Amino acid sequence: MATFNGEQFIQDQLNSILKQISEEDEIVICDDYSSDRTVEIIKSYNDNRIKLFVNEDRLGIIRNFEKSLMLASKPYIFLADQDDIWESRKIDICMELLNEYDLVLSNCSIIDQNKKIVNDSYFSLRKGKVGFVNNLIKNSFLGSCMAFRRSVLLKSLPFPKSIAMHDWWIGLVASLFFKCIVFEMPLVLHRVHDNNSSTTGKPSSFSAKKKILIRVNILISLLRRNKVKIFL
């Protein structure tokens, strides 16, 4: 989890995660130098499963998530947003799927800041699909809905400088080299509000030229890193 000025919602998220994990699990949190009570709230849990790291300077969302992932030590990784709420069986369902697949992308319901559902299916907005080409053209990888094996993480790190978002990059790497599944059941209440770092379900503000350049840079990064031929 990467946090930044998340005091308003961080307790809802931590509570929803902590009640699902075992004593052997961990929640790795990198805080990007918050100026509110986020760090104070996290520390107040006094829970050994929470591993908190506070940046001395702000890294931004992509590099902050990268740092948290580099600090993760377990064989399975779940990405988490600071302002979401996990459904009660999220971990159990994903872990069962991860017996067969390397990456799971689940659906989610979208809620507002007051927990009111405004759309019961993220996939209805993005038409979530597996496959490299599908997601290079139109990304459906939402980080807060992703769980994956450590092998996917190791293949994805370090993040190239040119990527638009960390979850898109991880999803594309997994689509190209691993076995992925899209799971239709919503396992997260994904909160959308005025201070979100991402723009879930909203049209991109990038120009057509910028969108093409981003995708070209992704392809170049994959080719350089893995020395593979990608046929579109």
Side-chain angles (χ1 to χ4, degrees):
M1 184 189 299
T3 60
F4 175 68
N5 288 352
E7 65 175 4
Q8 188 174 0
F9 306 120
I10 187 68
Q11 284 180 293
D12 282 344
Q13 176 64 305
L14 284 177
N15 291 342
S16 74
I17 297 173
L18 285 168
K19 65 184 179 183
Q20 297 187 52
I21 64 175
S22 72
E23 291 301 318
E24 289 72 40
D25 294 324
E26 64 182 5
I27 304 177
V28 177
I29 303 175
C30 285
D31 183 81
D32 208 18
Y33 201 65
S34 291
S35 59
D36 65 359
R37 295 179 57 251
T38 300
V39 171
E40 177 185 342
I41 291 169
I42 296 169
K43 287 181 176 178
S44 72
Y45 279 81
N46 195 29
D47 191 312
N48 291 331
R49 294 171 295 178
I50 298 176
K51 316 296 184 185
L52 174 64
F53 303 87
V54 180
N55 300 334
E56 295 182 359
D57 298 296
R58 287 181 183 162
L59 301 179
I61 184 171
I62 295 176
R63 297 304 157 192
N64 197 29
F65 258 112
E66 181 181 42
K67 179 181 176 180
S68 69
L69 288 166
M70 286 180 169
L71 291 166
S73 64
K74 302 300 180 179
Y76 298 96
I77 293 92
F78 289 69
L79 297 182
D81 285 356
Q82 65 182 6
D83 35 20
D84 291 346
I85 301 171
W86 284 11
E87 298 283 8
S88 60
R89 295 190 62 231
K90 173 180 168 68
I91 292 179
D92 287 343
I93 291 172
C94 287
M95 287 302 296
E96 184 175 347
L97 292 167
L98 286 168
N99 286 325
E100 181 177 354
Y101 297 93
D102 300 297
L103 181 144
V104 176
L105 174 67
S106 74
N107 203 350
C108 67
S109 300
I110 298 174
I111 61 174
D112 64 16
Q113 61 183 14
N114 298 313
K115 304 181 189 179
K116 179 182 177 181
I117 294 179
V118 296
N119 192 308
D120 59 9
S121 172
Y122 169 72
F123 288 166
S124 69
L125 297 174
R126 300 298 295 183
K127 310 298 181 186
K129 297 179 181 178
V130 294
F132 178 81
V133 175
N134 289 331
N135 284 284
L136 181 66
I137 295 170
K138 185 176 182 180
N139 176 44
S140 58
F141 285 104
L142 182 62
S144 58
C145 296
M146 292 166 58
F148 44 89
R149 293 172 179 263
R150 188 166 191 83
S151 54
V152 174
L153 175 64
L154 294 177
K155 194 76 168 178
S156 303
L157 292 174
F159 294 158
K161 293 181 179 180
S162 58
I163 60 173
M165 194 54 71
H166 61 283
D167 46 8
W168 190 16
W169 169 254
I170 295 170
L172 288 174
V173 169
S175 296
L176 195 59
F177 297 103
F178 298 92
K179 189 177 180 182
C180 306
I181 185 174
V182 168
F183 187 65
E184 292 289 340
M185 180 187 296
L187 298 180
V188 175
L189 297 174
H190 180 63
R191 196 179 326 239
V192 175
H193 54 90
D194 292 341
N195 296 320
N196 278 111
S197 296
S198 62
T199 55
T200 305
K202 297 178 182 178
S204 172
S205 60
F206 292 144
S207 66
K209 182 179 180 180
K210 179 69 172 178
K211 291 177 183 178
I212 293 171
L213 182 60
I214 287 171
R215 286 156 175 82
V216 169
N217 285 334
I218 287 172
L219 290 172
I220 292 172
S221 296
L222 286 167
L223 287 166
R224 285 177 174 171
R225 175 170 301 187
N226 300 290
K227 298 180 181 178
V228 298
K229 292 181 179 179
I230 301 172
F231 295 96
L232 299 179

